[in-house]
Amino acid sequence: MRGFEQVPNVNKPKSDFLKVFQSHRITMRRRAGVGAIQRQKIQQDKFKEKGSEIQENQLEQMTLQMEKFRENLEDFAAKHKNEIKKNPQFRKQFQEMCASIGVDPLASGKGFWCEMLGVGDFYYELGVQIVELCVATSHRNGGVLSMDEVLRKLNQRRRQDNQISADDAIRAVKKLRVLGSGMEVVASGSSQFIYSIPGELSMDHTTLLQQAEKAGHLTVASTALSLGWTNERAGRTLDHLLRVGVAWRDDQDRPASYWFPAFFQQCAVAE
């Protein structure tokens, strides 16, 4: 009897086909994923390139505008040279215009602005005059001068057409800050004072001076009560101002009182 003939496995070719097809699909998916990433990267590079181009164009336009503004400012300075030198209010407005483009025309003794305006080291020279005034009066006021007194005394030395303003004095004091601490302008209510006191003034010192401006003299107890401080804090702050010469202490009073000669005139006017 003849044996059974082996029937070919018809499913085998189909199985091989499915394997090849699935492998092809996976490969296509991988290729498609890599292609998407590459396209995204190319797109991002184009965006970066376009962004850089826009930034460069904007910077170029701003540079041209600033250069044009500078040229107009130079023309304006040449036209109003005398008024800038002689009129404090006009000088302040001109300074503010210059500050908007980073130009400080009155601070340097060299270059175009010095030659154009002929003012040299305007604020440094004014700063020296303020320092000299503070030193000359420190024995009387301990180094605290009202802005009104500074302007009055300095303008007495100047011609009528060459007066200075509070803004000029403030800028001059700021220029002196590069030499170290010891001089600053402090606002107290509607008044301004120039302090030429050794070392930095703390907030406690400034607050106490503002309080002294109102009364002219203080005690430890009155200071602690009015400012809500402890007696120790008030006494420490008052003693510091006594050591640097801003305050005088009257030990004959009970309790001892601290007087501030810089504010005598203000208190007399108030009374």
Side-chain angles (χ1 to χ4, degrees), residues 124-260:
Y124 289 110
E125 293 173 359
L126 178 57
V128 170
Q129 294 172 8
I130 294 174
V131 170
E132 290 174 346
L133 180 61
C134 290
V135 171
T137 59
S138 61
H139 68 283
R140 176 172 57 83
N141 54 39
V144 178
L145 271 171
S146 70
M147 183 64 73
D148 291 339
E149 184 176 359
V150 170
L151 296 179
R152 184 174 65 255
K153 289 185 177 297
L154 292 184
N155 281 329
Q156 285 176 353
R157 309 175 187 176
R158 293 172 171 268
R159 299 191 310 272
Q160 193 62 35
D161 61 353
N162 191 27
Q163 301 289 286
I164 61 169
S165 66
D167 181 74
D168 291 328
I170 292 171
R171 292 181 187 276
V173 171
K174 286 181 178 179
K175 298 299 179 186
L176 295 176
R177 295 289 291 177
V178 300
L179 302 177
S181 61
M183 180 169 287
E184 60 181 309
V185 178
V186 177
S188 177
S190 59
S191 303
Q192 290 179 313
F193 293 88
I194 295 180
Y195 293 169
S196 56
I197 301 172
E200 292 283 353
L201 282 178
S202 68
M203 285 299 299
D204 280 3
H205 300 144
T206 303
T207 301
L208 193 145
L209 285 169
Q210 291 172 344
Q211 187 71 18
E213 181 195 357
K214 302 174 184 177
H217 70 282
L218 300 170
T219 65
V220 172
S222 67
T223 301
L225 180 63
S226 60
L227 297 178
W229 293 358
T230 63
N231 285 344
E232 189 275 334
R233 180 181 179 184
R236 184 178 65 249
T237 309
L238 284 167
D239 285 341
H240 173 80
L241 295 178
L242 177 66
R243 285 194 302 272
V244 298
V246 176
W248 298 347
R249 185 171 63 196
D250 186 354
D251 291 324
Q252 294 183 355
D253 281 351
R254 289 291 179 266
S257 56
Y258 294 78
W259 294 80
F260 297 81

